Amino acid sequence: MKNSIETLQQEIETYVIENTDQLETFRLRFLVRKGSIAGLFDRMKDADPSERPLYGQLLNRLKKTAEQKYDAEKKKLEALSSPQKKKRIDLTLPGRKDHPGSEHPVQKVLGDMKQIFRAMGFSIATGPELEHDSYNFDMLNFPANHPARDMQDTFFITREEGQDDLLLRTHTSPVQIRVMLEEKPPIRVICPGKVYRNEAISARSYCVFHQLEGLYIDKHVSFADLKATIYSFAKQMFGSDVQLRFRPSFFPFTEPSAEVDVTCYLCGGKGCKVCKHSGWLEILGCGMVHPNVLRNCSIDPEEFSGFAFGMGVDRTALLRYKIDDIRLLFENDVRMLEQFSQ
Ligand code: PHE
């Protein structure tokens, strides 16, 4: 009997109560009429009469310990959950700072470009970044062994003999094909988006960048229309006194083709580090849509003609915001991005 009392005494003293459920279990175990303490009181009648006073004393102490512990723990738990405690706010603490998002410099430039072309009547078309080889190359009149298809430039996803491979598009020109297969002329679209090239990564080039493609197909579209469109765009984008230079070039999907430079808008054409002292900055590639490309899309080159252009977006963003490393555009570092929040 004495042993049982001592064991229970110890159990009560070390019993852990951390929540109201545990408190209730404690009460049911020790304090109710059928609990362990009451059970020991019942056993008093079987004890030797000479020992009863001692057991009575010990049991009363045990009961008191349990009751006191119950009351104390109950108070503690009530204090913790009291609404006053919960709602207490420390008004002296500094407030939490808001972190409003900001438009990415590339999106700002892209936004300006889109707005200029939309005002000229171009609508926006998009296509997938994971593209078929046939749309990225074949239908754009790339010969089967053209070097641009090389593994060094293209990220191939699947590559099997005799299959239309999947790749990450290397330019936005496949969107031209998608639009021409779906729509009949007149077509006047711009296609903004990400493109991928397997290039050595440096401050000047990255494996992902943004292009904005343009396509205009109708009857009697001429190179003069292309020049006027690019000129109007460049004046709005880079300033009204900008000058253009068309240099003959080659793209499999345009003929004739040209690359276009604008007078360096950092030095005004005088020559600086950015334009490598030439006074000119290359902004885009363009040309008249090749008859083969029109034919591939079931558009009769005798009836329709058109022009296309493709420009890089990231470089304009770098120059406009004086950012000297293209990698900063893709790293999503908030310390860099939050500088563009106005
Ligand atoms: N797709 C070409 C490139 O990525 C650019 C271009 C587009 C050239 C349309 C001519 C016409 O370099």
Side-chain angles (χ1 to χ4, degrees), residues 140 142 170-174 176 195 197 209 211-214 251 253-254 257-259 284-287 307-311:
L140 285 165
F142 278 80
T170 58
H171 52 177
T172 40
S173 301
Q176 286 186 29
V195 301
R197 284 186 203 173
F209 54 99
Q211 280 190 339
L212 183 118
E213 188 88 7
F251 300 102
F253 38 95
T254 47
S257 307
E259 277 172 319
L284 56 84
C286 63
F307 65 73
F309 56 86
M311 67 182 86

Side-chain angles (χ1 to χ4, degrees), residues 198-238:
N198 192 0
E199 280 176 23
I201 291 169
S202 70
R204 293 181 64 91
S205 69
Y206 200 61
C207 50
V208 194
F209 54 99
H210 298 77
Q211 280 190 339
L212 183 118
E213 188 88 7
L215 176 71
Y216 178 34
I217 313 271
D218 205 346
K219 289 180 177 159
H220 316 299
V221 177
S222 70
F223 204 94
D225 296 315
L226 169 60
K227 276 180 91 170
T229 306
I230 300 300
Y231 191 49
S232 166
F233 162 77
K235 279 210 293 195
Q236 294 176 70
M237 188 74 196
F238 303 110

